[in-house]
Amino acid sequence: MENTTKIIFPYDQSLVKELPLINKNDIENILITAQNLFNDQSNWIPAFKRIEILEKAASIMNDRSEELIHIAISEGGKPYKDSKAEILRAIKGVKLAAEHISQLKGEQIPMGLTEASVNRIAFTSKEPIGVVAAVSAFNHPLNLAVHQIATAVAAGCPVIFKPSSNTPLSGLALAEILKEAGLPEGWLQVVLCDNETAELLVTDSRIHFFSFIGSAKVGWSLKSKLAPGTRSALEHGGAAPVIVESDADFSEMIPDLVKGGFYHAGQVCVSVQKVYVNEEICDRFVEQFSEAVNKLIVGNPFDEKTDVGSLITPKEVNRVEEWVNEAIEEGAKLITGGKRISDTTFQPTVLFNPSEDSKVSTNEIFGPVVCIYPFANREEAIKKANALEVHFQAAVFTKNIDIALDTTKKLNATAVMVNDNTAFRVDWMPFGGRDASGLGMGGISYTINDMTREKLFVFKSKSL
C-alpha cells in the first residue's frame, strides 16, 4: 500500500486533501530526468524563453489570486489578509525573477598587465549551476516556493522541489501554473516524501545546489551530509531582538511591534520575540503594548477580520503552552494571554522579564508570544540580545540618530531595522541568517546569482 500525506486545515483539523508520497525507488528516475536535461545543453531554456515563461506565470497567478489565497489558507492557516499579502508578494517575486535574467552577466578581466599576459582578452560569463534541490517550510507556502522555484527557472536550472508535507498544495499549484506558462516537462519536479527519502535526494552527487528553508537542526544536519561540491544556502530562524529607547515614538511603534510579533501567530522566522525596553518607559510600554495585543481577533483564518489564526498543528499549541507555563514557573510575569483557546489556537501572549535561561528566551518560539525585558543600560541589553547562537534580523526604536547608528553597529544581525519591526521584508532585499541562523543570503536576485556559476574565457591571439 502506498504511503500518503494528509493535508489538514489547521484551524478545525478538517481534511483538505490526501496525496501520495513517493518512495526511495522513485528518487533515481527524478534525478535522471533532471540530470539529463542539464547535461544536454541543447535542452537549456534560452534567456528570452525563461523571461516569457515567468512573465506568463505571474499573469496567470494574478488572474487566479483568490484561488491561490484560498489554497494557502486551507493548508497553512494564515489569516486571509496576511495570505492575500503573501500571494501578492509571490506574484511580485516571479516578476522580479523574470527581470533579473537580464542582469546575469560576466565581466572583462584585464590582460596585458604583465609580459606573460599580453596578446590575450578574457571575460567571464554566468552559467546555470546545475540541478537544484529545494526543501521548503510551511509558513509561507506560496512565497517560499517562488523563492526556490522561480529563481531556479530564472537561472536556467532544473529544480526538484520538496514542499513541507503540511503545506504542499501551494507549491503544486505553482508547478501547474508554470507548466501552463510553457515550462518544459521535467524542469520542475515537485516531490512529496518523508524525511529519509528527502535526505537521499539532496545528498546525491547529482545535486549541484541545495536550498533549504526550515529548522536549524534539519538544515545543518543535511548540509553536513551533502556530496562534495554541492553548494548550499540555508535559512533558519532567530529570536528577533528589539531595543526600545526612552525617546521612541509610541504611536508608530506599538502597532508595528504588535504586527511583527503576532503576524501568522508568530510563525515567522523573524517574528518579534524579545523586546528590551528602557526602564524609564517600560511600564508605559507594557501597558500600551498589552492593550493593543488584547484587541487582536483570534479566529478562523478565512474570516477577513481575523488577526491571528491557528498554529500549524495541535502539537505546536501544546509546545507553546508548555514553554509559557515553564517561563511563568521560572519567574516571568504573565501580562496577558497565556492560555490555549482551543486545540489549534493560542491566546496572543505577553510575558514580562522571563529568565534569560527559559526556553522563551533561548529558543525561537514560533508561536504568538512576545517577551519584554526592562533595561537600565543599553550596552547590557545589546549584549543580552546578542547572547544566543542565532542571529537574523533585529530592530531599534529611537529618534536619536547616534543611538540608532551605535545600536545598529553593535547588534549581531544580518539586518537591523530602525523604527520598524524585525519582520520587515521585501523580496528584492538580501534576507538570511548568520552564525547558527543560516548560510548565504536569500532574496530573489541573490538566490538566482547563487544558482549560477562563472566560466572564464581567455583568448590568445597575435592580433590582440
Side-chain angles (χ1 to χ4, degrees):
M1 187 188 135
E2 68 176 13
N3 284 335
T4 61
T5 182
K6 290 187 164 96
I7 293 96
I8 305 290
F9 177 38
Y11 181 68
D12 66 8
Q13 295 294 289
S14 57
L15 180 68
V16 179
K17 206 166 192 180
E18 190 166 355
L19 293 171
L21 294 173
I22 64 158
N23 60 43
K24 289 177 192 170
N25 309 332
D26 302 314
I27 290 290
E28 186 58 24
N29 287 339
I30 287 162
L31 284 162
I32 288 170
T33 299
Q35 184 67 357
N36 287 348
L37 284 175
F38 181 68
N39 282 349
D40 181 357
Q41 290 195 7
S42 66
N43 283 322
W44 287 12
I45 309 169
F48 75 90
K49 191 79 186 143
R50 303 200 301 268
I51 293 169
E52 221 173 81
I53 291 164
L54 290 169
E55 284 178 345
K56 178 92 187 289
S59 165
I60 299 169
M61 287 167 79
N62 200 42
D63 294 342
R64 295 194 195 148
S65 57
E66 275 304 321
E67 186 189 322
L68 291 169
I69 292 167
H70 192 278
I71 291 170
I73 297 171
S74 67
E75 63 180 349
K78 189 193 293 174
Y80 180 88
K81 49 189 165 191
D82 296 328
S83 289
K84 183 177 183 176
E86 180 189 337
I87 273 60
L88 294 174
R89 270 181 64 187
I91 296 166
K92 175 69 177 164
V94 175
K95 289 178 182 168
L96 286 167
E99 285 162 14
H100 191 68
I101 294 170
S102 66
Q103 302 306 308
L104 292 174
K105 55 185 187 289
E107 60 178 357
Q108 186 174 344
I109 307 298
M111 290 288 146
L113 305 179
T114 58
E115 202 179 333
S117 63
V118 296
N119 299 126
R120 288 170 178 81
I121 188 168
F123 58 88
T124 60
S125 74
K126 291 275 182 76
E127 294 184 339
I129 193 171
V131 178
V132 171
V135 173
S136 208
F138 77 84
N139 53 342
H140 312 291
L142 186 65
N143 202 40
L144 296 182
V146 163
H147 274 265
Q148 293 175 296
I149 293 170
T151 47
V153 172
C157 298
V159 55
I160 303 163
F161 178 71
K162 184 210 168 292
S164 157
S165 52
N166 293 106
T167 57
L169 302 176
S170 295
L172 288 164
L174 179 63
E176 272 306 306
I177 287 169
L178 281 163
K179 188 178 173 185
E180 210 175 304
L183 185 67
E185 196 66 42
W187 282 85
L188 166 58
Q189 299 178 82
V190 180
V191 298
L192 301 184
C193 60
D194 62 25
N195 293 343
E196 207 181 319
T197 309
E199 185 173 313
L200 256 185
L201 167 72
V202 305
T203 56
D204 191 277
S205 61
R206 286 163 287 189
I207 298 299
H208 296 82
F209 189 82
F210 171 49
S211 163
F212 179 85
I213 302 171
S215 85
K217 190 179 164 197
V218 176
W220 291 114
S221 163
L222 286 172
K223 183 189 178 293
S224 72
K225 296 171 185 174
L226 294 179
T230 302
R231 289 205 332 227
S232 61
L234 312 176
E235 187 191 299
H236 309 315
V242 180
I243 307 286
V244 177
E245 260 305 348
S246 52
D247 62 345
D249 181 329
F250 273 69
S251 62
E252 284 178 11
M253 170 176 66
I254 297 293
D256 203 27
L257 286 177
V258 169
K259 183 70 182 170
F262 298 98
Y263 161 64
H264 197 12
Q267 299 171 114
V268 179
C269 55
V270 284
S271 183
V272 170
Q273 177 171 331
K274 300 176 81 174
V275 187
Y276 294 89
V277 184
N278 188 311
E279 61 185 19
E280 291 169 25
I281 56 160
C282 201
D283 289 350
R284 185 174 155 219
F285 180 90
V286 168
E287 188 186 327
Q288 291 196 23
F289 185 76
S290 55
E291 204 177 297
V293 169
N294 286 334
K295 289 183 181 145
L296 292 171
I297 296 165
V298 183
N300 189 325
F302 278 107
D303 186 335
E304 293 185 31
K305 289 191 204 72
T306 296
D307 297 306
V308 179
S310 38
L311 273 78
I312 189 69
T313 60
K315 193 173 143 202
E316 290 300 294
V317 177
N318 294 342
R319 178 187 60 79
V320 170
E321 184 177 50
E322 276 167 31
W323 285 19
V324 168
N325 288 341
E326 175 196 89
I328 294 166
E329 278 162 30
E330 291 171 356
K333 184 181 173 193
L334 178 66
I335 303 293
T336 189
K339 302 228 169 347
R340 63 168 65 222
I341 297 169
S342 67
D343 284 347
T344 62
T345 53
F346 197 85
Q347 288 176 334
T349 298
V350 181
L351 294 172
F352 183 71
N353 213 11
S355 153
E356 290 285 348
D357 301 324
S358 293
K359 285 198 186 77
V360 295
S361 294
T362 55
N363 291 281
E364 184 181 18
I365 295 172
F366 233 62
V369 181
V370 172
C371 303
I372 298 166
Y373 309 79
F375 73 82
N377 177 319
R378 190 173 66 258
E379 295 291 328
E380 285 299 310
I382 292 169
K383 214 164 153 184
K384 286 178 178 173
N386 289 341
L388 304 181
E389 288 180 348
V390 288
H391 306 112
F392 208 135
Q393 296 198 160
V396 54
F397 283 81
T398 178
K399 292 299 179 191
N400 181 318
I401 192 164
D402 293 330
I403 290 175
L405 291 170
D406 182 63
T407 308
T408 301
K409 190 173 73 173
K410 289 174 178 168
L411 279 169
N412 187 1
T414 48
V416 181
M417 311 301 157
V418 179
N419 297 322
D420 202 350
N421 72 49
T422 56
F424 173 74
R425 182 186 188 183
V426 288
D427 298 289
W428 56 90
M429 77 188 209
F431 181 84
R434 56 165 66 164
D435 302 325
S437 281
L439 184 70
M441 294 304 266
I444 296 289
S445 60
Y446 299 86
T447 300
I448 296 170
N449 289 339
D450 265 355
M451 291 175 177
T452 64
R453 53 185 172 185
E454 280 192 325
K455 180 172 277 181
L456 175 69
F457 295 73
V458 184
F459 286 87
K460 182 184 177 188
S461 165
K462 288 194 179 76
S463 303
L464 287 165

